[in-house]
Amino acid sequence: GNQKATHSENPQGKKSQHAEEAIFYMNCRAAYLTVFKSSLENIKSKEQLGLVLQQAGRNPSQKTINKYWTPQTTSLNFDDFCAILKKEKPATKNELLEAFGKIDTDKDGYILHDELCQILTTRGDKMTWEEVTSITKQADFNCSGKLDYNKFCELYLSTSEQCCRAARARLDTDPRLRQQHFGNQTGDSSEGITLPGPKPSPRASRKTDHKLPKGDSRAPSRPSSAQSSKASTSTTVTVGASSSRSTKLIIEPDTMKEWQWAQSKGCFYLEENGEIISHKYRLHLPQRSAVCVTIKPFKIPQAGGKSCHWLSVDTALFILKESETPENLQLVSFTELQNEEMFGWRGELGAGLYWLLPFTTGCRLRKVKTQIPGEAKLLWRDEDGELALTKEFRAALLDIFETIDLDGNGLLSLEEYNFFELRTSGEKCDQEAWAVCKENFEMKKNELTRQGFLDLNLMEANDQDGDPWDLWVTLLSLGYNKALEMTEACPFVIAMCAERCKPRIKAISLEAGGSQLSRAVCSSVMNKGEAKVLQGSENIFIYTHRSGSRITSVIENKSENKVIIHVNNEQSKNCLNNRGLRVFAVEVAPKSMMVSQHVMALNEQEEWIYSCVHSLV
């Protein structure tokens, strides 16, 4: 199919609809970051909701707060906040004057001080006398003790505007906040990746046809609602229901049965702020060899019969070559071939040290609000009053054991156990503490058995006299909800086979992907994807690449100035992205590149259409 860039320019002075939306989201973010450190933090109380709405120039009543913060609400995210601001418009001067006019019986533009105090302390959201006094001190009362409410409305509106301007000024002057994305960012990059220096211009839009996987058609598309105040480019990719997994990874058992294998398990964990962390691995290859590398979600044997939410999570593995120092890594390749839920890469690697960085887009591993019918019971007491693990909790612990047993030998080494400890408590178990465990719990070859792991958790419950609080802290940090379902984690298994030597894979850390992974993701899209330049902005490029069941777009800003790019997905069908917003804006630092978004099918059994317009604001 053809893929061409569609460009358009609006007449100067005409403010586009989506340019206004970009300003709206920027103002939302400015207000949000006045209260929170990141737009990924959640609103966790009514008080915080009221405060952040005030920073956005709103003055919500308790009734308004209660409309959005119900008894079932535990938190609201930045997306929710933007949605609320769209519904709750700031009060206009005419609306304020109309409200005051209803209590101005003489219709002379004044209200008696005592009358105002009586109304504010007895009607609606009742205020205290101290609160009323603090307001009236700032208001303009004449010598007769009357309020000039026309001046008061002007004071109120100017104060609200000053509040918004101060939030915007803080956003513009703080480099850390400037680099953050707008919207609900749950992907791999939280800031722009600085470009290393001048390099040849990327491929411009090709006029020739491109061979694409069957079921994938690309054509120019220009949503009528997506006009640009400066310049824009549009990309449309249509993917058939059966073609999401069409780039097959072929593993031939007959030809590879003599190859030598190494594998390790690991897990993606979703943090409270939406960030995703995972194990990182070091690979040692003794000599040059043909290799096959794969990654896929891990189906826990003990979880039979249960719903394994994580099996639909997309996974990828980026292979980086270590040169002089571990910090100096170069992208070799990534697993873009797909066979059902498995992603893989086949090729040849030279002898040396490599890093294997697992990755997921965050499209399907994300914070989701669900109603939990009731909290699962973790412990019970037998007829002798002794504490015991419930059947459900015991099953969950066995699932956890399978996940943290990285080498799959049915035992936990101190190294494997410490990944568990770091995730759940932030601390490590030293050799001395491990020796104490050996004295009290079942071990084999200095490694903890399944029964030993169960007994260890039971001991912790006994230490707390049956209070399950600490146990829940452990479960929640491992991605479980109160119904003992793993909804915010995705265990996976990576494997490598080599033709000429024995590969060695070792888990090194459990942390966020960081700049190395972000750079690898951007580079993979720029190397493999189609480049389009924004007309009239020859230094801004949009790259789009489809890899198996996902599409990723990257923005490269080669200019000396920061740019704000508006992203509109309103014409997309049957899609979900890692940001959780159909329309958003991103700020790209000078000489940098960043992921615009990752997109996947909402329902893979149906056709899906990715239709996106990137515009310069």
Side-chain angles (χ1 to χ4, degrees), residues 14 25 55 135 141 152 169 216 316 336 404 408 444-445 476 488 510 609:
K14 184 178 180 181
Y25 283 115
Q55 293 297 329
I135 293 175
F141 284 89
F152 180 79
D216 183 335
E336 64 172 332
I404 63 178
K444 291 180 181 179
K445 300 177 182 179
L476 294 173
E488 296 188 356
L510 179 61
I609 301 173

Side-chain angles (χ1 to χ4, degrees), residues 158-223:
S158 65
T159 303
S160 175
E161 180 59 30
Q162 286 172 10
C163 186
C164 294
R165 280 203 303 267
R168 280 290 301 276
R170 177 173 175 268
L171 187 68
D172 292 338
T173 56
D174 189 327
R176 179 184 62 83
L177 297 178
R178 263 206 324 269
Q179 289 179 337
Q180 288 185 14
H181 293 199
F182 306 151
N184 182 20
Q185 167 66 13
T186 57
D188 56 279
S189 172
S190 61
E191 59 182 49
I193 304 300
T194 304
L195 299 174
K199 64 177 183 179
S201 296
R203 301 183 303 278
S205 296
R206 300 184 181 98
K207 296 182 180 179
T208 56
D209 291 354
H210 302 279
K211 293 182 179 179
L212 297 170
K214 186 179 179 182
D216 183 335
S217 62
R218 306 190 182 193
S221 175
R222 180 76 183 159

Side-chain angles (χ1 to χ4, degrees), residues 418-487:
N418 271 333
F419 282 123
F420 166 78
E421 279 292 310
L422 284 170
R423 178 61 191 160
T424 57
S425 68
E427 300 176 351
K428 276 189 173 184
C429 176
D430 58 23
Q431 290 288 351
E432 185 177 346
W434 193 244
V436 174
C437 284
K438 191 173 182 179
E439 293 175 4
N440 293 277
F441 306 106
E442 183 181 84
M443 285 201 182
K444 291 180 181 179
K445 300 177 182 179
N446 202 37
E447 295 187 333
L448 193 63
T449 65
R450 288 182 177 84
Q451 187 57 50
F453 182 67
L454 293 174
D455 292 340
L456 178 61
N457 281 275
L458 181 57
M459 183 205 71
E460 290 184 0
N462 275 299
D463 286 348
Q464 299 300 319
D465 197 28
D467 185 345
W469 172 259
D470 286 349
L471 298 176
W472 276 119
V473 169
T474 296
L475 288 164
L476 294 173
S477 67
L478 295 173
Y480 283 81
N481 62 20
K482 287 299 184 79
L484 289 181
E485 299 169 323
M486 189 193 294
T487 56

